[in-house]
Amino acid sequence: MKKIETNHEQYAFLFNDYTHSLPIIFSHLNGQYNGELYLDNGKNPKYGILITPFAFHYFCGKVFDSNDQDLIEFLNEFLKKHNEAIFFCPSNSWNEVLDKIFSDKKMIKDVRKSFSFNKSKYLEFKNNIILVSNVKLEEENISEGIKSNWNFLTAKAYVNEKCISWCSSFMIGKGHAEINLFTEEGYRHQGYATSVCVALIDELIRENIIPDWNTWPYRLESQNLAFKLGFEDPKDINTLIYIKDMQQ
């Protein structure tokens, strides 16, 4: 596998089969975050993998050979260096190949819930609620301890000058924004999460950017909030999760 050092965007065509995770993939291809792109070759690539610093990694292109030694060796070396990795792929053929490649490892098969945004439903909801005050839009360039190469917007709710809830558009790509949300435990179910989400989504709409909402199945509160905000039709996105401690 060849590491591509520059101009990741020229290989965007390899990710055409993805209908989810667009801001995650393209925020790395366009240089917002310092991801790593590995391809079978740099001149006429057939497949590859995008490695992100957030532990979400995306196979791309088309592969049909589960005995591809370059791919097998790359993944074995990669997993030796990481305690956890979450893999996504664009097709059933990839799933079949990866099942065979990872057959000697204990992998967790899970799904991510990927929602679609319905602007009309969102506006109807927004026009019939009372939001908390003291919400501010701020620019930041750090998310989960990882530096973005340019600023992104975060809506923050404050109580006594302390931020107790925030919602950020920490990844932007291909006209979509990946949303991240957090509320301090003592301030949940009081309207703060809804208010920061509305403040951020309003700004994204003004900028003609589509908000994306993705979450794990066990995050029921996140899913309920997504539905309330006008997100709908959640699709199950297959994931393969590697945890080093499980291999022993």
Side-chain angles (χ1 to χ4, degrees):
M1 299 285 285
K2 176 180 175 58
K3 182 178 180 180
I4 306 301
E5 300 292 347
T6 59
N7 299 323
H8 290 176
E9 281 185 305
Q10 69 177 303
Y11 301 104
F13 68 92
L14 289 169
F15 296 86
N16 284 345
D17 288 339
Y18 276 96
T19 58
H20 61 86
S21 305
L22 298 181
I24 303 176
I25 293 168
F26 286 89
S27 65
H28 288 82
L29 294 181
N30 67 22
Q32 181 184 352
Y33 291 98
N34 296 326
E36 297 179 352
L37 181 63
Y38 293 86
L39 304 176
D40 58 328
N41 69 81
K43 292 184 178 180
N44 187 27
K46 295 180 180 177
Y47 68 84
I49 183 171
L50 175 66
I51 304 297
T52 84
F54 294 90
F56 281 22
H57 313 304
Y58 294 84
F59 292 97
C60 63
K62 300 185 186 303
V63 66
F64 302 100
D65 185 4
S66 59
N67 294 312
D68 188 311
Q69 290 305 306
D70 285 344
L71 181 59
I72 292 171
E73 290 175 12
F74 172 85
L75 291 173
N76 285 335
E77 288 302 312
F78 177 80
L79 294 179
K80 287 179 184 178
K81 301 173 185 177
H82 293 80
N83 294 323
E84 181 178 325
I86 302 172
F87 296 104
F88 297 81
C89 55
S91 65
N92 288 332
S93 59
W94 263 110
N95 286 327
E96 293 170 2
V97 167
L98 294 176
D99 281 346
K100 294 177 181 178
I101 289 177
F102 291 136
S103 62
D104 63 335
K105 296 177 174 60
K106 297 176 182 177
M107 305 293 287
I108 300 172
K109 289 188 176 184
D110 205 344
V111 297
R112 290 274 284 173
K113 295 287 185 180
S114 181
F115 288 77
S116 299
F117 182 60
N118 186 316
K119 183 178 176 181
S120 296
K121 285 186 177 181
Y122 166 75
L123 293 175
E124 181 181 357
F125 165 75
K126 175 197 163 184
N127 292 333
N128 289 282
I129 59 167
I130 298 174
L131 301 171
V132 302
S133 56
N134 59 347
V135 174
K136 300 178 182 178
L137 282 171
E138 302 178 10
E139 289 191 347
E140 297 185 315
N141 65 357
I142 300 288
S143 179
E144 301 179 19
I146 298 168
K147 188 178 185 301
S148 167
N149 291 319
W150 54 77
N151 292 344
F152 53 83
L153 281 177
T154 299
K156 296 182 177 182
Y158 287 87
V159 172
N160 297 325
E161 299 184 354
K162 175 188 176 183
C163 176
I164 51 84
S165 183
W166 54 261
C167 180
S168 72
S169 55
F170 71 120
M171 294 182 185
I172 303 282
K174 210 168 186 180
H176 289 248
E178 185 75 8
I179 287 179
N180 201 7
L181 173 66
F182 176 78
T183 302
E184 296 280 355
E185 188 169 352
Y187 295 91
R188 295 174 185 175
H189 307 292
Q190 299 177 43
Y192 291 107
T194 299
S195 296
V196 293
C197 286
V198 166
L200 181 67
I201 291 172
D202 277 354
E203 186 61 27
L204 293 174
I205 289 174
R206 278 192 285 272
E207 296 180 6
N208 293 315
I209 295 173
I210 300 170
D212 283 11
W213 194 288
N214 298 281
T215 190
W216 295 105
Y218 63 86
R219 296 287 305 276
L220 297 180
E221 290 184 353
S222 175
Q223 293 178 58
N224 290 337
L225 180 56
F227 283 120
K228 187 166 69 171
L229 290 165
F231 292 89
E232 61 184 9
D233 193 25
K235 299 288 195 304
D236 285 348
I237 307 302
N238 292 329
T239 66
L240 277 174
I241 303 173
Y242 170 86
I243 299 175
K244 182 173 287 186
D245 288 346
M246 289 180 56
Q247 310 306 312
Q248 300 174 1

